[in-house]
Amino acid sequence: MLRLGGKRYKLFIAGYRYQAWLKQMAANPDKTLFLRVYPKCLMIPRKDPQIYFQVAAWEDENPWEEQPGIFKFRGVWQFVPQVRTPVISVYRNQNANDPKGKFKASHLPVLMRREDEAKPFRFNPKIAKEDLPPRWFVQGNFKFIPSRNCWGWDKDLEPPTKKIPRYKKPIKATADGQAPPRGNKKPPRKTDKPKKPTTDNKETDE
């Protein structure tokens, strides 16, 4: 568990790093470590987002330039149906690999007031696609605010742009929770051609 601002958050350590973490804790249980983490957010309809962190690395000293609690987000600023607060949607890079084949995006709730033309995108099914407002790609530093369970905008790393980098689109799981096979297209439906009426040419004796 990770304690921030009086709140406790779950830590997730993937793969071989978990065994290394256990050895580190067994050898030096009381030693202070500096963690580098990736934020994750589980969206549940009609409930507060559940935020947790994936540990990417740890060191005895702080070798990174970032200040504690500051995160660099690069993604699309928009609304999603699960929460009222706008989010930064961080998608997987075009050349990313995912063993599960799902390429899930991270939707991180943020508070950001800007004086330029950039606005969070909100999808409206009643508006034609060509009339929808533009989507903005935002790159900036965001500070985690435990009391609000979200991040607050600190500064831009680059000006917002309408040019969104190419990314892997998330793949929805099937009913059994598995990602559909790649390139699995539905076979075309077979349609029976109407048969021509036949005439009986046999001669009959009267």
Side-chain angles (χ1 to χ4, degrees), residues 68-79:
I70 296 293
F71 295 80
K72 292 181 180 179
F73 292 166
R74 294 178 172 87
V76 178
W77 188 24
Q78 62 183 353
F79 286 94

Side-chain angles (χ1 to χ4, degrees), residues 9-54:
Y9 297 89
K10 292 181 179 180
L11 284 178
F12 171 70
I13 306 175
Y16 69 93
R17 294 181 185 274
Y18 181 65
Q19 297 299 326
W21 174 265
L22 292 179
K23 292 180 180 179
Q24 174 75 34
M25 291 295 98
N28 302 285
D30 299 325
K31 191 170 186 177
T32 300
L33 295 176
F34 290 86
L35 303 181
R36 187 166 199 174
V37 297
Y38 295 141
K40 302 289 183 179
C41 186
L42 178 62
M43 298 287 188
I44 302 176
R46 297 181 297 277
K47 291 186 178 181
D48 292 335
Q50 295 183 10
I51 294 174
Y52 62 100
F53 298 91
Q54 179 178 343

Side-chain angles (χ1 to χ4, degrees), residues 7-140:
K7 290 188 176 183
R8 302 178 73 182
Y9 297 89
K10 292 181 179 180
L11 284 178
F12 171 70
I13 306 175
Y16 69 93
R17 294 181 185 274
Y18 181 65
Q19 297 299 326
W21 174 265
L22 292 179
K23 292 180 180 179
Q24 174 75 34
M25 291 295 98
N28 302 285
D30 299 325
K31 191 170 186 177
T32 300
L33 295 176
F34 290 86
L35 303 181
R36 187 166 199 174
V37 297
Y38 295 141
K40 302 289 183 179
C41 186
L42 178 62
M43 298 287 188
I44 302 176
R46 297 181 297 277
K47 291 186 178 181
D48 292 335
Q50 295 183 10
I51 294 174
Y52 62 100
F53 298 91
Q54 179 178 343
V55 178
W58 60 86
E59 297 289 347
D60 296 338
E61 302 292 337
N62 186 1
W64 304 292
E65 298 178 358
E66 296 90 348
Q67 297 178 0
I70 296 293
F71 295 80
K72 292 181 180 179
F73 292 166
R74 294 178 172 87
V76 178
W77 188 24
Q78 62 183 353
F79 286 94
V80 293
Q82 295 89 339
V83 292
R84 295 181 178 180
T85 305
V87 303
I88 296 291
S89 295
V90 182
Y91 296 94
R92 304 292 293 275
N93 293 334
Q94 185 67 20
N95 58 351
N97 293 319
D98 186 350
K100 296 183 179 180
K102 296 181 180 180
F103 300 101
K104 288 185 177 181
S106 295
H107 303 292
L108 307 170
V110 298
L111 300 176
M112 179 164 52
R113 289 186 178 181
R114 308 188 61 92
E115 297 181 356
D116 52 25
E117 60 177 333
K119 304 292 181 184
F121 173 80
R122 187 192 295 271
F123 176 73
N124 187 339
K126 297 181 180 180
I127 299 178
K129 184 178 180 180
E130 59 272 14
D131 296 330
L132 287 170
R135 296 196 303 165
W136 290 91
F137 185 77
V138 174
Q139 304 177 74

